[in-house]
Amino acid sequence: MSYASDNLQTILCLLVRNNKLDSPAFDIEMNRNASIPDSLPKAWRRAFARDLAEPADHADPGPERRAGRMLAAFIATGLVFLALPGTLLGVWNLVNISENHSASAPATAWIQAHGQAQLFGWVGTFILGISLYVLPKFRGRSLRSFGRAWTVWALWTLGVGWHWLGVVYAWHWREALIGSAVLGLVAYAVTLRVLFAPGRAGRPEAKSVPEDLGSWLGIFGFLGLGVTLVANLVLSLQVAFKGASSAYPLVGDQVFLLLALWAFVAPMAWG
């Protein structure tokens, strides 16, 4: 009996892995398996057969709940950066402009800190969290490297927060510029490692090339984020070693903003 049961399960496993769910052979073997009740609907019986044939993957509720909590942390952090360093500092800059009747009243570094809090603080945080949650599913597997995913969240949050505090309060701003830029790049590199790490041994992954423009724009925007982070590090090193204040030089800041807008933000928004 044990040998017959193992043989049936092996046959079901082969049929499932070869995507033969609609074949007559699958229905015959499923009917012979006594562990799948005949009274159940056909779709339910096929689901039972899949569970018998191979262990649960991205449909497993345990990892899915952990991935959901991780995504919620990224979203909540992005909203905090949106509301406080981003919007609050933006409103404060507008108040200074109104009181002094001059667009140059707020410090240039404060305006740039507001822009970075918006660009990386909530847009970048949202993109990283959503990418970690969604992209593994496109490869036919769920997120498994939760330790690395939480490392991305910690490094990214620390980097964005450090940059804002260092620039706004002029608190060790040279170290803040370099350190925050390095942390952002490391977080991005860890994200790539999580997304493109090989799956479990013996488990085939879905290998599909995106066919729609939106997916390609999203991929281009995600790669553009990496290029933007590299440019941010180059500017941070330049200002930290040669600048008299934490403000990026005019030409460098304009190039950085154009790169961030057209290589990162616009493709992500259109995608």
Side-chain angles (χ1 to χ4, degrees):
M1 179 66 67
S2 176
Y3 173 79
S5 177
D6 292 342
N7 190 37
L8 285 173
Q9 185 168 341
T10 301
I11 295 174
L12 286 174
C13 180
L14 292 174
L15 291 171
V16 169
R17 290 183 178 178
N18 291 324
N19 198 23
K20 301 294 185 179
L21 296 181
D22 295 324
S23 66
F26 183 86
D27 293 332
I28 293 172
E29 297 301 331
M30 189 169 57
N31 292 333
R32 292 172 57 194
N33 196 326
S35 62
I36 304 178
D38 296 335
S39 59
L40 292 177
K42 191 173 183 178
W44 290 21
R45 299 178 68 203
R46 288 183 175 180
F48 272 111
R50 283 192 294 267
D51 289 341
L52 287 173
E54 55 186 13
D57 190 13
H58 54 275
D60 188 352
E64 187 65 23
R65 284 195 295 267
R66 296 176 64 186
R69 287 192 291 267
M70 180 272 302
L71 176 62
F74 274 92
I75 298 299
T77 303
L79 291 176
V80 169
F81 280 118
L82 170 64
L84 298 178
T87 303
L88 182 61
L89 188 57
V91 172
W92 187 261
N93 289 336
L94 291 176
V95 170
N96 285 337
I97 293 174
S98 177
E99 288 181 347
N100 294 277
H101 303 286
S102 173
S104 61
T108 303
W110 277 43
I111 297 176
Q112 293 178 358
H114 160 69
Q116 286 232 8
Q118 297 283 47
L119 177 65
F120 294 139
W122 71 275
V123 178
T125 305
F126 280 13
I127 295 304
L128 288 180
I130 294 172
S131 298
L132 287 169
Y133 181 80
V134 173
L135 293 184
K137 293 179 171 59
F138 290 163
R139 302 183 64 191
R141 60 185 177 88
S142 62
L143 178 64
R144 295 290 179 178
S145 303
F146 288 102
R148 289 174 180 166
W150 283 109
T151 299
V152 171
W153 173 81
L155 291 174
W156 187 263
T157 304
L158 179 60
V160 176
W162 192 8
H163 181 276
W164 186 81
L165 289 173
V167 172
V168 171
Y169 294 100
W171 178 72
H172 299 284
W173 60 267
R174 298 180 190 274
E175 294 85 351
L177 287 179
I178 299 176
S180 62
V182 171
L183 287 176
L185 263 178
V186 173
Y188 182 80
V190 177
T191 303
L192 292 178
R193 170 64 179 168
V194 173
L195 294 178
F196 299 105
R200 295 179 178 179
R203 179 181 296 276
E205 295 184 358
K207 296 181 179 180
S208 59
V209 177
E211 298 179 355
D212 59 298
L213 178 61
S215 298
W216 282 112
L217 285 173
I219 293 172
F220 181 83
F222 187 78
L223 296 177
L225 172 59
V227 176
T228 304
L229 290 171
V230 172
N232 182 52
L233 177 60
V234 172
L235 282 173
S236 297
L237 290 171
Q238 178 185 352
V239 172
F241 287 114
K242 298 181 180 180
S245 70
S246 60
Y248 289 173
L250 178 60
V251 176
D253 185 52
Q254 290 176 342
V255 172
F256 172 77
L257 290 177
L258 287 174
L259 181 64
L261 176 62
W262 295 108
F264 166 46
V265 177
M268 281 294 183
W270 290 338

